[in-house]
Amino acid sequence: MTDTRPPRPSESIGAEPEETPLWHSMGVDVVLRQLGTSPLGLALTEVTTRQRRYGSNSLPLAPPTRWWVVLLRQFVSPLIGIMVVANLITIVQQHWVDAAAIGVVLVLTVTLGYWQERKAEREVHALRSLSSSVAHVRRDGTIRVIPATEVVPGDIVAVVGGERVPADLRIVEANRLRVDESMLTGESLPVAKTTAPVHQTAPVAERHDMAFSGALVTSGRGLGVVVATGQDTELGAIEKLMTAPPPPTPLQVMTRTLEWRIGGAILVAVLFLFVAGLVSGFTVSDMFQTAVALTVAAIPESMPVILTIALSVGISRMARRNAIVRRLPAVETLGSTTVIASDKTGTLTQNRLTVEQVWTVGGYWEPGIPADAHTVAVLRAGALTNESSRTGTGELHGDPVDVAMSRVALDASAVSAAETTTAPERHTPYEPALGYSQSVRVHPDGQRVLYVKGAPETLLAASTTLQTPHGPRPMKAGVVSEANAVLAREGLRVVATASRRLGPDELTTDPLPPPERLEFLGLEGMTDPPREGVSDAIAACAAAGIAVKMVTGDQPATAEAIAARLGLVSEGPPLTGAEIAALDDNMLAARLEETSVAARMVPQDKLRIVRALQSRGEVVAVTGDGVNDAPALRAAQIGVAMGRSGTDVAREAAGLVLTDDDFVTIVHAVEQGRVTFAAIRNATFFLLSTAVAAVLALSINVLLDQPLLFLPVQILFINVVTSSIQDIALAFEPARGDELSRPPRSPQEGILSRRLWYRTFVTGAWMGLIVLLVFGWALHLGDTVEHARTLALVLFVIFNVFQVGNARAETVSLLRLNPLSNPLLFATAFGSVLVVAALLAWPAAAALLGLAPLTLAEWGMMGALALTILAIVEADKLIWAALDRRPRTRALR
């Protein structure tokens, strides 16, 4: 038997290899012959052979990562590794208090990382929810109900309304068959299926003789021959596009880079001091204790905790604005986004076909204003040849065109609800091959009227007169064609309506003949209108330096018209899927710079667009709701899925889910993302500047052959009990209100900006030197080591109080900020001083930490010295503000 295995759909998306059978371009007889089957279906013996050959009609699921592998990954961080070594040293030296304190921090950090990573293991698994559970197949001439997983290529499958397609089918029979393929193609309306082959270059969305696995049959019935199963289907091709791991977010990249830099600097400093101490005569035990103290002082132990809390605060704030975050880093990623590639239907638009204009010879009418008699006639004709119906709650449902025409007629009082629910005397439903639907209605006065709606060219050919303000006049096709062109240029889908009064004996039998001698009434132009507020949101994105690209499966003309209404400006025409196939990655990226609209996109096209933008250094956010969006959602730095209309696959592939499916919510999320990153940046500056101060002071302390400035337990007390509590409070810093008036930060900038790195080292050096001078001055006066350490520790804690205030804003003076706008920070800053005072007053606690009580005068002296750090940072902010103003002054000249 010859090899008749169907091609892999992953090869059929976009440009297809010549050796791949193009099922959609072949006649039914040719397809059946190549697949070795017939309209009676496969023989049962042949089914068994093919099941062994092709396997199960299902998508394989990769096993989840083992828990211990995820756990071990947490120790890849250099900071964690250094902390582990420091903990082991303290255990060997039997410094149990230090060992316990370091161990608690280690356990907390590793646990948070493990929990976060285990949350994101289910992306591809959601694809199974789209698979049909059973299939109706014809085998040996008999229809059988079998599990969908047992379908094989060559099977003849029957599909009816309400069922999902179990595999990729070439249609062999169709009776008013319409299929919703929006999750695969982005096409917003159900697609009418036929048996006629289409051109071999037709994109997936235009293969009207095919039905794809996972698509929903909305109406009608049909038969199809299976041409692909499992991974060979279009759905399987999308699953393959999702196998690559999602790219790291900008925050993850910056954090990992910062960790390695800190880790390298710590190792160099510790080795240098260890050797220098041994040369100076210190014992190995002393230097191990010193090395541990220096390590603990340098490592920002609370950084993972701060990141988690800052992102969690962002999650809580976003949830109040209808954005649910599935992965913590997604909060910050939105803040650094430079391009939003947005789906059209349901995100930028309402996902509800709506009549927006009605044309009659008398002019144009829009919903919301009183309708004249001629407009009412158009609306009645559209609503009375109509198959929409009402649910128990009064909602209309059915074909989107029928629903739109019924809704506008009811809203304009052109028809009553009773009229729309009364069955017509005769009816011909809409068929694509016919191009029209028609109904015979009997009115209360006994008058019988034929109402017809359909394609304008079809009704023009069947009409002899035209409705005018002066009564019916001879048909003028040019007038109607011109109005049709005007509506089409606005991106509206145009449906014509016509009618004819009937005599008692006319059209009394079924089926109704083709309509003739009609009076042409007018045109209804409909579209999926933009959501309220989206235009303003797109303008806000532009002001924030974020480019918005519409990426849709709809026709270019429709997409371009919607883009114009939304204010999406393009220098060139829409990019199309056919055009992408002819472009390399560099040419594609250049093309994307000149257009804001990409139409007739398939999953592979969307994925290429994302990767092309990323290759130019863009941070890309992708929005979508269908299976066709899932690969791009996963590949983007941040995927945004729709919560109401989205599929499980899209939601599982995304990092953010919008519960209201509204683009405006994305803009709110971008704003909160920038607030969150500012909090992370400010907290990092505070942690690193105080770490620099501690490392510098300890390093010089050892080189000067002084007693150890701080014991490890004292450093942990400063870092965790006082500094970290204040650092956590920085995560709750509120928005300033100007977040969307600034461009996105450069991806090369890192967590800290250039000015903050400068400020980190200047303030860290100042604090470290002053603390060391106070310690040395106390020893010079003959104070005990415990008293000198206490003075240094109190000074360092008060330094932290003023430094955390400096960290609240990068450019705004602390004196201009309301201290109570972040009440938690206010409480923790001064609370840390009270905690130290309480411990010094408690002899048992002071003895455990190796501290001594201080007088009020000594407290006042330390507070006065700590005030100097506030003056230094305020001066630094003034200098940078002057430098920022200088280029603008030159530009004005």
Side-chain angles (χ1 to χ4, degrees):
M1 181 175 174
T2 59
D3 187 353
T4 58
R5 183 169 183 171
R8 306 180 79 85
S10 56
E11 297 173 342
S12 69
I13 298 177
E16 301 179 82
E18 293 181 358
E19 66 272 16
T20 302
L22 305 175
W23 305 112
H24 58 278
S25 66
M26 301 177 185
V28 171
D29 292 341
V30 176
V31 172
L32 294 175
R33 186 168 59 252
Q34 288 206 18
L35 289 170
T37 188
S38 74
L40 297 178
L42 296 170
L44 295 181
T45 54
E46 177 62 18
V47 170
T48 303
T49 301
R50 297 195 181 197
Q51 284 177 341
R52 286 198 299 266
R53 179 176 186 178
Y54 296 111
S56 174
N57 177 34
S58 59
L59 300 178
L61 293 179
T65 307
R66 294 182 180 275
W67 68 268
W68 55 268
V69 174
V70 178
L71 182 62
L72 289 178
R73 278 192 203 138
Q74 310 313 311
F75 293 91
V76 174
S77 166
L79 300 187
I80 297 297
I82 293 172
M83 287 284 285
V84 169
V85 173
N87 199 28
L88 291 175
I89 291 173
T90 56
I91 292 173
V92 170
Q93 292 187 313
Q94 298 183 357
H95 295 164
W96 304 118
V97 175
D98 297 338
I102 297 173
V104 169
V105 174
L106 266 176
V107 170
L108 179 61
T109 302
V110 170
T111 301
L112 282 171
Y114 175 83
W115 171 77
Q116 181 177 330
E117 190 169 341
R118 290 290 285 181
K119 283 182 63 182
E121 287 273 344
R122 302 177 300 164
E123 277 85 355
V124 178
H125 294 208
L127 284 164
R128 279 195 170 174
S129 66
L130 293 171
S131 301
S132 175
S133 58
V134 297
H136 298 79
V137 301
R138 180 183 290 170
R139 291 175 176 171
D140 280 337
T142 303
I143 293 291
R144 304 167 185 265
V145 180
I146 65 170
T149 55
E150 296 180 6
V151 169
V152 296
D155 263 328
I156 302 298
V157 175
V159 292
V160 297
E163 294 183 352
R164 287 200 180 274
V165 180
D168 282 3
L169 309 178
R170 170 63 167 89
I171 303 299
V172 298
E173 291 183 17
N175 182 7
R176 299 173 57 194
L177 181 62
R178 297 174 71 80
V179 180
D180 180 359
E181 298 176 338
S182 59
M183 65 171 190
L184 290 167
T185 65
E187 181 69 58
S188 56
L189 296 175
V191 179
K193 296 298 181 179
T194 66
T195 60
V198 298
H199 193 273
Q200 62 181 13
T201 60
V204 172
E206 296 177 6
R207 297 178 187 176
H208 299 155
D209 58 340
M210 299 285 295
F212 300 107
S213 177
L216 180 66
V217 179
T218 58
S219 62
R221 61 184 64 247
L223 288 177
V225 58
V226 176
V227 298
T229 58
Q231 282 192 300
D232 293 339
T233 62
E234 293 287 348
L235 195 62
I238 294 174
E239 185 267 342
K240 292 172 192 171
L241 295 177
M242 295 173 63
T243 55
T249 67
L251 181 61
Q252 290 170 326
V253 172
M254 290 185 293
T255 303
R256 185 53 54 89
T257 300
L258 184 61
E259 285 180 348
W260 280 102
R261 289 177 178 175
I262 294 173
I266 291 171
L267 287 176
V268 170
V270 168
L271 288 174
F272 172 76
L273 282 178
F274 192 85
V275 173
L278 293 178
V279 172
S280 300
F282 285 95
T283 66
V284 173
S285 178
D286 289 339
M287 289 316 301
F288 268 127
Q289 187 178 17
T290 302
V292 170
L294 183 62
T295 300
V296 172
I299 291 180
E301 302 94 341
S302 59
M303 180 175 286
V305 180
I306 300 308
L307 289 175
T308 301
I309 291 176
L311 295 174
S312 298
V313 170
I315 286 175
S316 177
R317 291 173 176 172
M318 285 185 181
R320 291 195 291 269
R321 304 295 291 269
N322 301 314
I324 305 301
V325 177
R326 296 187 64 250
R327 300 185 187 93
L328 284 178
V331 180
E332 181 279 329
T333 306
L334 270 173
S336 58
T337 296
T338 59
V339 177
I340 298 176
S342 177
D343 187 29
K344 176 183 74 69
T345 305
T347 307
L348 300 176
T349 64
Q350 298 176 19
N351 195 20
R352 189 178 82 162
L353 203 62
T354 303
V355 174
E356 294 204 341
Q357 289 194 57
V358 174
W359 174 86
T360 64
V361 172
Y364 291 91
W365 173 85
E366 294 182 359
I369 60 177
D372 60 27
H374 304 295
T375 300
V376 166
V378 175
L379 298 176
R380 284 183 61 80
L384 294 178
T385 175
N386 197 295
E387 294 181 74
S388 65
S389 58
R390 286 179 175 272
T391 65
T393 59
E395 291 291 323
L396 292 167
H397 71 92
D399 183 87
V401 172
D402 284 345
V403 170
M405 298 183 84
S406 286
R407 185 188 301 116
V408 71
L410 288 166
D411 291 345
S413 299
V415 293
S416 65
E419 287 181 290
T420 61
T421 56
T422 301
E425 182 183 274
R426 300 282 183 275
H427 178 67
T428 301
Y430 177 82
E431 291 285 353
L434 297 176
Y436 64 83
S437 65
Q438 57 180 341
S439 297
V440 175
R441 294 275 181 172
V442 181
H443 295 303
D445 60 2
Q447 177 64 56
R448 301 172 69 244
V449 180
L450 172 68
Y451 293 105
V452 186
K453 77 175 190 316
E457 58 273 16
T458 302
L459 267 65
L460 275 174
S463 299
T464 56
T465 60
L466 176 66
Q467 174 187 249
T468 74
H470 309 290
R473 292 291 185 269
M475 189 67 214
K476 294 183 179 180
V479 174
V480 176
S481 297
E482 182 179 351
N484 182 36
V486 170
L487 295 175
R489 281 196 296 270
E490 295 181 14
L492 302 179
R493 177 170 181 162
V494 183
V495 178
T497 60
S499 66
R500 176 163 67 92
R501 291 178 176 271
L502 302 175
D505 300 325
E506 285 190 274
L507 305 182
T508 58
T509 60
D510 287 325
L512 290 173
E516 59 181 0
R517 294 180 289 119
L518 300 176
E519 179 183 357
F520 195 95
L521 301 176
L523 303 171
E524 294 189 43
M526 60 194 75
T527 188
D528 181 8
R531 281 180 173 272
E532 183 179 355
V534 168
S535 296
D536 293 337
I538 289 175
C541 286
I546 302 171
V548 178
K549 309 285 185 184
M550 178 195 292
V551 184
T552 178
D554 272 349
Q555 295 283 358
T558 303
E560 191 172 23
I562 292 294
R565 296 178 64 178
L566 294 173
L568 284 174
V569 180
S570 296
E571 297 178 3
L575 176 70
T576 64
E579 183 183 356
I580 284 181
L583 300 177
D584 61 29
D585 290 343
N586 289 331
M587 295 171 65
L588 175 58
R591 183 74 170 83
L592 288 167
E593 290 183 358
E594 65 180 24
T595 186
S596 298
V597 180
R600 270 298 185 240
M601 296 289 108
V602 296
Q604 201 172 55
D605 297 333
K606 295 184 179 184
L607 190 59
R608 278 198 65 194
I609 286 175
V610 171
R611 290 174 175 167
L613 291 169
Q614 290 172 334
S615 70
R616 292 292 182 98
E618 305 287 357
V619 178
V620 183
V622 170
T623 75
D625 57 2
V627 177
N628 61 318
D629 300 311
L633 287 168
R634 183 172 171 80
Q637 280 95 342
I638 173 67
V640 183
M642 303 300 108
R644 289 182 179 175
S645 61
T647 61
D648 288 342
V649 181
R651 285 192 288 266
E652 291 297 329
L656 186 74
V657 177
L658 306 184
T659 59
D660 58 359
D661 292 9
D662 196 341
F663 184 85
V664 177
T665 302
I666 300 175
V667 179
H668 295 322
V670 168
E671 180 181 22
Q672 181 55 50
R674 294 188 174 186
V675 173
T676 299
F677 182 78
I680 293 171
R681 166 171 280 183
N682 295 338
T684 303
F685 159 69
F686 174 67
L687 278 178
L688 292 184
S689 61
T690 54
V692 167
V695 170
L696 180 65
L698 276 170
S699 300
I700 298 176
N701 169 241
V702 173
L703 294 176
L704 292 178
D705 197 18
Q706 294 177 332
L708 192 59
L709 176 63
F710 293 129
L711 299 175
V713 69
Q714 293 172 343
I715 295 173
L716 276 175
F717 171 77
I718 295 172
N719 286 359
V720 178
V721 179
T722 60
S723 300
S724 294
I725 294 176
Q726 298 171 63
D727 204 39
I728 290 171
L730 281 172
F732 295 86
E733 194 68 20
R736 302 261 176 261
D738 62 345
E739 283 75 18
L740 293 180
S741 64
R742 302 189 301 268
R745 68 179 185 281
S746 169
Q748 287 76 37
E749 191 174 64
I751 289 185
L752 295 186
S753 62
R754 183 164 58 97
R755 71 178 65 184
L756 282 183
W757 274 116
Y758 168 80
R759 192 176 298 165
T760 294
F761 288 112
V762 169
T763 56
W766 178 260
M767 291 187 292
L769 290 175
I770 297 301
V771 166
L772 189 62
L773 286 174
V774 166
F775 181 71
W777 169 74
L779 292 177
H780 178 72
L781 293 180
D783 285 351
T784 64
V785 173
E786 289 76 12
H787 188 263
R789 282 176 178 159
T790 305
L791 286 172
L793 184 143
V794 168
L795 175 59
F796 200 69
V797 168
I798 302 177
F799 262 137
N800 285 351
V801 170
F802 290 114
Q803 184 71 337
V804 80
N806 291 330
R808 290 185 64 191
E810 183 177 351
T811 57
V812 180
S813 168
L814 175 62
L815 303 178
R816 293 171 53 192
L817 299 177
N818 180 359
L820 297 180
S821 63
N822 188 345
L824 182 61
L825 181 63
F826 183 84
T828 56
F830 289 98
S832 65
V833 177
L834 295 177
V835 168
V836 173
L839 290 175
L840 294 184
W842 185 13
L848 180 65
L849 292 174
L851 300 174
L854 299 182
T855 66
L856 285 176
E858 288 171 329
W859 274 94
M861 186 185 303
M862 296 305 102
L865 287 173
L867 268 174
T868 57
I869 197 63
L870 178 60
I872 289 174
V873 173
E874 288 298 311
D876 181 62
K877 289 179 179 179
L878 288 174
I879 293 171
W880 280 104
L883 292 175
D884 288 342
R885 285 193 299 268
R886 187 170 58 181
R888 288 198 293 270
T889 303
R890 289 178 178 175
L892 290 173
R893 293 176 183 172

